Amino acid sequence: MDKLVSLCKRRGYIFQSSEIYGGLNGCWDYGPLGVELLRNVREQWWRAMTYRDDIEGLDAAILMHSRVWEASGHVDNFTDPMVDCRECKARFRADQIEDALCGSPAYKGRKAAKCQAEGKFTEARKFNLMFKTFIGPVEDSGAVVYLRPETAQGIYVNFLNVMASSRQKLPFGIAQIGKAFRNEINTKNFLFRTREFEQMEMQFFVKPGTDEEWFGYWKAERMQWFSRLGMEPSRLRFHQHGDDELAHYAKAAFDIQYEFPFGWGEIEGIHNRTDYDLSRHQEFSGKSLQYFDEQTKERFIPYVIETSAGASRSLMAFLVDAYREEEAPTADGKTEMRVVLGLHPLLAPIKAAVFPLVNRDGMQEFARKIERTLRPHFTVFYDDSGAVGRRYRRQDEGGTPFCITVDSETLQNQTITVRDRDSMKQERIGADSVVRYLRERLDLSS
Ligand code: GAP
């Protein structure tokens, strides 16, 4: 993880939020490559989930009526058990003390479990994870609003709006991507548990009785999405929630877990939320959220199968999965270690880099021409500084699938070399076919 975190900073993927002020815990910024990768993760999810006739898209506001969170159960139930250390005043999640370190600088590296065994901790008490703020100028209880801790509720409260405007019938889904906020007691493992993050959620509304079948369907679909985008299948698995793990709304839940360097961790949850959410919103809002089945003439509240992926957590899993170190031959016949981000071309932030081999004889001008030809079609990077071997390494580290080099032969016969990031093999092609060539090799159609 340390190597990946440092690569992310060096290459402009991820920076600590407010770094020049010492950083803000649990918040991260996406740099030039990170923001492209995040956009690509979102884009692939959006295509997979909404480019079909039974799912509609939505972008609901982050701030919602505070009754939403009473109805959803988050005001009462979205809590973690928290303990304080009387000695060092650090706070811990009571169920995660095993992994935690003591907060006192005087005891650097000491396990918090030891302090607990010595009786330094308070009794556990409930800590609500929602960030609270006020709407308007008056900070009283009537003005309280929350930053949403999940995007799902924006979908439930728009169930009728979307159904009526899109003329959908059951079964159908609503998908949305957006920020979510949780005031986690302890953040950890880079992007894994943060206070501000992004979710990609889809709620699929079905007739009660068909929910288990749809649950199976979405479990399989979502697992395939990760492997289709290049994630190593042996590092993916399902984890079924036991009764003690189920969220307050769920009848059944499976996590898709990825094997991170620090162990298996959830990247997406698939939940059977039954009619819990719509029933609660019907009760709290006084508006009927029933569905009328024209064929059977029945009225009922639909069940919901939810697929809930973390965009930022998935992004981190894609980065971990893509990271590799390997020996590579150098120009003088020796070998050196190269770091490669073997990201799937659909996810890679930059699709091609363009280099003049050396900065003379018009090679720069030719390379700039290639860059201009490619730019309307792909994200491209032009680089003419330093030895070409170093330029290749920089692109390998950033995850760029192809490097295009203009050399002296180019000037004679208008051909260029294209180097493949993974095999390091070079192919010579006509400069006029570069767009078509890259399009085929990048497989951007899938
Ligand atoms: N609507 C259901 C829901 O929010 P969840 O299991 O609490 O379910 C879904 O969260 C996904 O959101 C997780 O699988 C994870 O990818 C992401 N996620 C949750 N909390 C997170 C956090 N503190 N930091 C980063 N990602 C988080």
Side-chain angles (χ1 to χ4, degrees):
M1 280 310 295
D2 288 347
K3 284 182 179 173
L4 184 71
V5 175
S6 110
L7 179 141
C8 281
K9 178 162 184 201
R10 193 168 66 246
R11 301 299 310 150
Y13 271 97
I14 316 281
F15 309 126
Q16 172 74 67
S17 160
S18 320
E19 192 186 274
I20 60 168
Y21 288 96
L24 183 66
N25 203 347
C27 301
W28 298 89
D29 298 342
Y30 292 77
L33 294 194
V35 73
E36 284 295 331
L37 176 58
L38 187 59
R39 281 168 53 93
N40 293 342
V41 169
R42 286 195 209 113
E43 173 66 14
Q44 289 310 312
W45 186 89
W46 194 251
R47 280 172 176 268
M49 301 302 277
T50 71
Y51 285 22
R52 42 187 289 161
D53 65 3
D54 57 356
I55 300 188
E56 304 292 338
L58 178 75
D59 189 356
I62 289 175
L63 298 177
M64 301 176 74
H65 199 291
S66 59
R67 289 278 284 164
V68 168
W69 305 108
E70 290 168 30
S72 69
H74 283 80
V75 170
D76 290 334
N77 299 316
F78 198 57
T79 57
D80 276 339
M82 179 180 72
V83 292
D84 289 281
C85 175
R86 292 192 193 90
E87 190 98 355
C88 74
K89 311 292 177 221
R91 291 198 156 154
F92 300 96
R93 249 178 83 164
D95 55 346
Q96 287 179 355
I97 289 174
E98 278 311 309
D99 304 333
L101 291 177
C102 165
S104 163
Y107 285 121
K108 202 165 186 289
R110 189 188 214 240
K111 289 271 183 202
K114 197 149 191 248
C115 310
Q116 185 186 35
E118 289 168 8
K120 293 182 176 163
F121 284 0
T122 59
E123 285 298 307
R125 61 186 194 286
K126 282 182 171 182
F127 173 74
N128 196 296
L129 300 186
M130 284 196 293
F131 280 99
K132 214 187 242 185
T133 185
F134 301 94
I135 202 151
V138 184
E139 296 195 0
D140 65 12
S141 58
V144 165
V145 285
Y146 301 96
L147 300 190
R148 66 182 176 199
E150 60 170 13
T151 60
Q153 299 302 325
I155 294 181
Y156 302 135
V157 301
N158 278 298
F159 165 65
L160 291 182
N161 285 337
V162 173
M163 188 167 64
S165 56
S166 60
R167 302 165 63 86
Q168 284 283 1
K169 293 197 173 23
L170 253 50
F172 80 96
I174 305 177
Q176 122 160 285
I177 299 176
K179 291 262 183 168
F181 303 83
R182 297 184 188 177
N183 199 359
E184 301 282 356
I185 299 169
N186 302 124
T187 57
K188 66 173 183 181
N189 292 328
F190 197 27
L191 306 179
F192 188 80
R193 180 164 294 116
T194 55
R195 296 196 165 108
E196 175 177 340
F197 55 96
E198 201 160 325
Q199 289 188 315
M200 308 184 290
E201 295 199 304
M202 191 280 298
Q203 315 295 321
F204 203 71
F205 301 92
V206 304
K207 187 171 181 179
T210 63
D211 49 310
E212 286 177 19
E213 192 187 320
W214 281 110
F215 188 67
Y217 169 85
W218 282 112
K219 246 181 79 189
E221 279 291 306
R222 293 306 306 148
M223 183 60 104
Q224 274 170 27
W225 184 80
F226 288 102
S227 46
R228 268 206 314 272
L229 286 172
M231 225 178 247
E232 166 57 41
S234 66
R235 294 201 204 112
L236 286 164
R237 72 176 187 193
F238 282 116
H239 163 75
Q240 182 169 16
H241 282 212
D243 288 344
D244 55 336
E245 288 171 278
L246 283 176
H248 60 272
Y249 49 70
K251 164 178 155 187
F254 277 85
D255 292 339
I256 297 177
Q257 293 185 331
Y258 179 79
E259 190 177 20
F260 290 99
F262 47 83
W264 290 93
E266 171 193 345
I267 49 178
E268 171 157 352
I270 294 112
H271 310 125
N272 183 342
R273 293 180 75 133
T274 68
D275 58 0
Y276 176 85
D277 299 275
L278 290 185
S279 300
R280 295 275 294 185
H281 286 305
Q282 174 169 284
E283 182 191 334
F284 278 66
S285 68
K287 290 259 165 21
S288 170
L289 296 180
Q290 283 190 328
Y291 177 81
F292 178 65
D293 188 327
E294 279 160 20
Q295 275 178 343
T296 62
K297 310 290 177 214
E298 291 168 281
R299 270 182 207 285
F300 55 84
I301 295 193
Y303 268 35
V304 170
I305 306 303
E306 168 182 69
T307 69
S308 174
S312 16
R313 214 183 264 184
S314 303
L315 175 143
M316 176 168 125
F318 281 119
L319 282 173
V320 167
D321 202 69
Y323 183 95
R324 61 177 198 266
E325 290 172 2
E326 60 190 28
E327 292 216 321
T330 57
D332 55 3
K334 297 190 183 134
T335 58
E336 67 175 7
M337 190 63 87
R338 75 166 186 148
V339 172
V340 188
L341 272 188
L343 289 166
H344 190 289
L346 288 170
L347 298 182
I350 295 170
K351 307 301 183 202
V354 185
F355 313 146
L357 182 63
V358 285
N359 295 334
R360 56 161 202 265
D361 306 334
M363 287 185 213
Q364 284 165 298
E365 289 72 17
F366 202 107
R368 282 285 186 198
K369 214 168 80 192
I370 298 282
E371 181 208 352
R372 280 196 301 276
T373 307
L374 292 175
R375 235 185 234 295
H377 308 277
F378 312 106
T379 44
V380 189
F381 186 80
Y382 174 88
D383 189 4
D384 60 13
S385 63
V388 74
R390 287 180 66 87
R391 284 182 259 163
Y392 284 145
R393 296 284 174 271
R394 276 206 293 268
Q395 294 305 318
D396 291 345
E397 237 191 18
T400 307
F402 295 104
C403 291
I404 294 165
T405 307
V406 167
D407 55 17
S408 51
E409 208 178 318
T410 311
L411 306 178
Q412 288 160 20
N413 62 10
Q414 318 281 298
T415 60
I416 51 181
T417 65
V418 185
R419 172 186 177 272
D420 179 286
R421 174 195 67 201
D422 299 318
S423 68
M424 291 186 284
K425 292 221 169 73
Q426 299 197 19
E427 204 178 332
R428 190 167 275 281
I429 64 162
D432 56 356
S433 62
V434 64
V435 172
R436 186 162 28 97
Y437 177 91
L438 282 189
R439 201 165 265 148
E440 282 167 15
R441 295 286 310 274
L442 286 163
D443 192 19
L444 297 177
S445 53
S446 54

